[in-house]
Amino acid sequence: MSLAERLSAMEEYESWSRDPSPAGSRRKLSFNPVGSWVPPAAHEEPVGAFEVPQPKRLLQVFFAVIYCLFAAGIVFGYAAIKPVLIKEQVYRKYCTQEELDRGVRVCYEQEIRLNFMFTVAAVSTNVVALPVGTILDYYGPRVCGIIGSFFITIGCLFFAFAWQLPIDGYIPGYLFLALGGPFIFISSFQLSNTFPQYSGLILALLTGAFDTSSAIFLFYRLIYEASGRTFWPKKFFLAYLVVPAFILIVQLFVMPSASYKTVGELVTQAEDEALDQHESDDDIDDSDILRQLRETRRVRRESIISEITSLLGSKDASEQTKKEEKKKNASGVWGALHGRTALEQIKSPWFILITLFTVVQMTRINYFVATIRPQHEYLLGSYSKAVQINNFFDIALPLGGVISVPFIGMILDNTSTPFCLALLVTIATTIGVLGVIPQTWAAYANVCLFVIYRPLYYTTVSDYAAKVFGFATFGKVYGLIICLAGLFNFCQSALDAMTHRLFAHNPIPVNLILLGLAFVIGIILVGYVWRKSRSIHRENIEDAAESAREVLMPGAMQNGGYGSLRADRGREEVGGGMRGRGDRRG
């Protein structure tokens, strides 16, 4: 879900592509999987931030951070609430008599069903991003927020009364809690445009709130234990209904019904407003009326440009553009498949390899979250030590996400994509090795690396998709990557069964299988991307030199000599990196 941290700041300009794009128009990042460009038939037109009072915009950002903190990623605190559900004997009725006679803490069927509850939630969180994008583009953020609040309400009611229902209420309850998160979180991304100069800070706050929301169940577990188990889940989830009620109220009375305009859209508006004369002026015969009309336009134009300049720091957002150009050049893969159709991109090794890598890594991440306590109980041979590791993980998971956000941004902005992928593979391999070492120090080191790796992994994959595939097809391509990865997470139930039945509760074989798959696929992915990035870099240099010869040769002798002029121009093109190609095609 940290993809916002990377993409909203990048989507304003796409200065060049390796293939021409329709009309060379500015693109707006869309999570809509069924449309490549901003839908012309959208129900709500975007609004400029300067049209909304500053205090109201501040309030909108504040409320969004608050409700994301309490609801956006609550289901990922599963490791914290699972012990509560076990103590409340959820799914205990599925244990065999033999298991009950032996007094096992968690029987096989109980473990499988509880973990399946989390698996369904994790899968739905990824898959629901597809309809969320479509609804957001066509109906606006307010509708998304309201839908999210209703889903969370339904989830709370299912969980609160699951003990009394004739059907299993836990799985649908956790499912609806998971569905509500993306609706309120993804629809909040556009609030980074309320203050364009501080968009990075706003996105960091929203992303940090999402990561921290997994601690809600941790706080509940602490209260549950402090109350002597009297504050049982029914009381908690009924009290938690105040959260969706708060979301509904602020959506209706405070939050915008339409998304805010991006920097690119504001610059376009400033350029359009610069025209005081319209074609319709020819139909006006009265010169006084025409003069008065143009004066009104001039005053309005100056007012709007003044407001936009105040928001952006400059009329054309030149500083932001230069920063983004530097980031694109550093990536080494920017524009690799820009301008291609979604089908062409999906057939490419770029897509196939990142999808395979994402499928394996997401499965490893969710498997670890769901089974951290039983894994370490077996590895360390001690239930009390496993509880300590679990408690440490419950605290480290939200903290790791918050602390790592700014460092992740620095890494992705200043290093190449092959380096970032290699870093992912290195950390993932280290986590895999630590996960099979039966030592307490290895368990703590594993948790520390995991809580840093998780946000880095999600952000790097979204960053890769934007840089390689482009924004025109982002909704389709990235949505398909995450959707497929989410659906493959259903195999987690099979991994649980293998661990308990085939390997007699020993998690090492499954961890080694996942480690091997991730390492092999990761090495192939890094090697392919590194080789392609070198090819792209070489092509850019060759094209820059060729452009210098083609453009400068006709007037070379009239401008003081061919040699010096060509050299000067060549240095300018090469220094501009990828910008040379964009200038030629723009």
Side-chain angles (χ1 to χ4, degrees), residues 15 81 108 117 135 151 172 233 241 349 381 400 426 545:
S15 60
I81 198 173
Y108 171 73
M117 180 184 75
I135 295 171
F151 278 151
L241 285 172
T426 301

Side-chain angles (χ1 to χ4, degrees), residues 218-367:
L218 168 62
F219 291 123
Y220 165 57
R221 194 191 73 203
L222 295 175
I223 296 172
Y224 171 81
E225 293 172 348
S227 67
R229 304 184 185 181
T230 58
F231 193 63
W232 64 306
K234 180 176 182 178
K235 292 183 178 179
F236 168 74
F237 282 102
L238 288 178
Y240 187 77
L241 285 172
V242 71
V243 173
F246 169 76
I247 295 173
L248 179 62
I249 292 171
V250 298
Q251 289 294 341
L252 291 174
F253 298 105
V254 181
M255 306 307 284
S257 60
S259 298
Y260 281 101
K261 290 182 179 179
T262 65
V263 171
E265 291 170 323
L266 289 173
V267 171
T268 300
Q269 181 175 355
E271 292 171 349
D272 292 341
E273 293 291 345
L275 301 176
D276 290 335
Q277 298 185 18
H278 296 179
E279 292 182 1
S280 60
D281 292 352
D282 296 336
D283 300 329
I284 302 175
D285 297 327
D286 192 319
S287 59
D288 291 335
I289 295 177
L290 182 59
R291 190 181 306 108
Q292 183 178 3
L293 180 61
R294 288 178 176 174
E295 176 64 19
T296 302
R297 289 173 185 162
R298 184 189 65 79
V299 173
R300 180 174 180 272
R301 168 177 58 84
E302 292 179 352
S303 174
I304 290 178
I305 291 178
S306 175
E307 294 284 356
I308 292 176
T309 301
S310 176
L311 277 173
L312 305 181
S314 64
K315 176 184 169 181
D316 60 357
S318 56
E319 292 184 6
Q320 291 94 324
T321 306
K322 290 178 181 178
K323 289 179 181 178
E324 293 309 318
E325 283 293 332
K326 182 179 178 181
K327 297 174 187 177
K328 293 171 186 177
N329 294 339
S331 73
V333 299
W334 178 269
L337 295 181
H338 290 199
R340 306 284 181 87
T341 65
L343 184 59
E344 289 174 334
Q345 293 175 344
I346 291 170
K347 290 180 179 179
S348 71
W350 292 94
F351 175 86
I352 295 171
L353 289 174
I354 195 65
T355 301
L356 290 174
F357 184 73
T358 305
V359 165
V360 176
Q361 295 298 349
M362 190 177 292
T363 302
R364 290 183 69 193
I365 288 172
N366 291 331
Y367 179 69

Side-chain angles (χ1 to χ4, degrees), residues 238-561:
L238 288 178
Y240 187 77
L241 285 172
V242 71
V243 173
F246 169 76
I247 295 173
L248 179 62
I249 292 171
V250 298
Q251 289 294 341
L252 291 174
F253 298 105
V254 181
M255 306 307 284
S257 60
S259 298
Y260 281 101
K261 290 182 179 179
T262 65
V263 171
E265 291 170 323
L266 289 173
V267 171
T268 300
Q269 181 175 355
E271 292 171 349
D272 292 341
E273 293 291 345
L275 301 176
D276 290 335
Q277 298 185 18
H278 296 179
E279 292 182 1
S280 60
D281 292 352
D282 296 336
D283 300 329
I284 302 175
D285 297 327
D286 192 319
S287 59
D288 291 335
I289 295 177
L290 182 59
R291 190 181 306 108
Q292 183 178 3
L293 180 61
R294 288 178 176 174
E295 176 64 19
T296 302
R297 289 173 185 162
R298 184 189 65 79
V299 173
R300 180 174 180 272
R301 168 177 58 84
E302 292 179 352
S303 174
I304 290 178
I305 291 178
S306 175
E307 294 284 356
I308 292 176
T309 301
S310 176
L311 277 173
L312 305 181
S314 64
K315 176 184 169 181
D316 60 357
S318 56
E319 292 184 6
Q320 291 94 324
T321 306
K322 290 178 181 178
K323 289 179 181 178
E324 293 309 318
E325 283 293 332
K326 182 179 178 181
K327 297 174 187 177
K328 293 171 186 177
N329 294 339
S331 73
V333 299
W334 178 269
L337 295 181
H338 290 199
R340 306 284 181 87
T341 65
L343 184 59
E344 289 174 334
Q345 293 175 344
I346 291 170
K347 290 180 179 179
S348 71
W350 292 94
F351 175 86
I352 295 171
L353 289 174
I354 195 65
T355 301
L356 290 174
F357 184 73
T358 305
V359 165
V360 176
Q361 295 298 349
M362 190 177 292
T363 302
R364 290 183 69 193
I365 288 172
N366 291 331
Y367 179 69
F368 183 81
V369 171
T371 62
I372 182 172
R373 183 173 290 192
Q375 279 200 47
H376 288 95
E377 182 178 358
Y378 182 93
L379 288 171
L380 303 179
S382 169
Y383 176 74
S384 60
K385 289 183 178 179
V387 171
Q388 292 174 5
I389 298 296
N390 196 156
N391 293 340
F392 176 71
F393 175 77
D394 293 338
I395 298 172
L397 183 63
L399 284 180
V402 174
I403 294 172
S404 63
V405 164
F407 299 102
I408 292 172
M410 290 173 59
I411 292 172
L412 294 177
D413 286 346
N414 298 287
T415 61
S416 67
T417 299
F419 174 84
C420 293
L421 292 174
L423 181 63
L424 279 186
V425 174
T426 301
I427 297 176
T429 303
T430 305
I431 290 174
V433 172
L434 291 172
V436 297
I437 298 176
Q439 297 291 331
T440 303
W441 66 265
Y444 281 104
N446 193 11
V447 169
C448 290
L449 274 181
F450 178 87
V451 299
I452 295 172
Y453 173 80
R454 180 172 171 265
L456 175 63
Y457 153 75
Y458 281 113
T459 310
T460 301
V461 172
S462 62
D463 184 72
Y464 171 100
K467 289 174 177 175
V468 172
F469 304 117
F471 302 120
T473 57
F474 185 86
K476 295 185 182 76
V477 178
Y478 180 74
L480 183 59
I481 292 172
I482 297 301
C483 182
L484 290 174
L487 290 174
F488 271 93
N489 265 249
F490 277 121
C491 73
Q492 184 180 316
S493 296
L495 298 178
D496 280 336
M498 289 172 60
T499 301
H500 292 283
R501 295 291 195 191
L502 186 60
F503 301 120
H505 307 290
N506 183 359
I508 293 178
V510 170
N511 284 334
L512 287 176
I513 292 171
L514 293 175
L515 170 60
L517 284 173
F519 181 75
V520 172
I521 295 173
I523 290 296
I524 296 173
L525 172 64
V526 172
Y528 178 82
V529 174
W530 176 77
R531 183 169 59 85
K532 286 294 185 180
S533 68
R534 292 190 65 186
S535 299
I536 291 172
H537 180 67
R538 184 169 58 251
E539 290 174 12
N540 289 330
I541 294 177
E542 292 173 355
D543 288 352
E546 181 182 349
S547 177
R549 288 195 299 270
E550 292 175 353
V551 173
L552 299 172
M553 189 177 295
M557 296 307 295
Q558 299 176 7
N559 291 277

Side-chain angles (χ1 to χ4, degrees), residues 184-205:
I184 65 170
F185 181 54
I186 294 177
S187 63
S188 300
F189 292 171
Q190 51 86 28
L191 291 175
S192 65
N193 296 313
T194 53
F195 300 93
Q197 293 189 71
Y198 303 100
S199 61
L201 174 61
I202 295 171
L203 289 170
L205 289 172

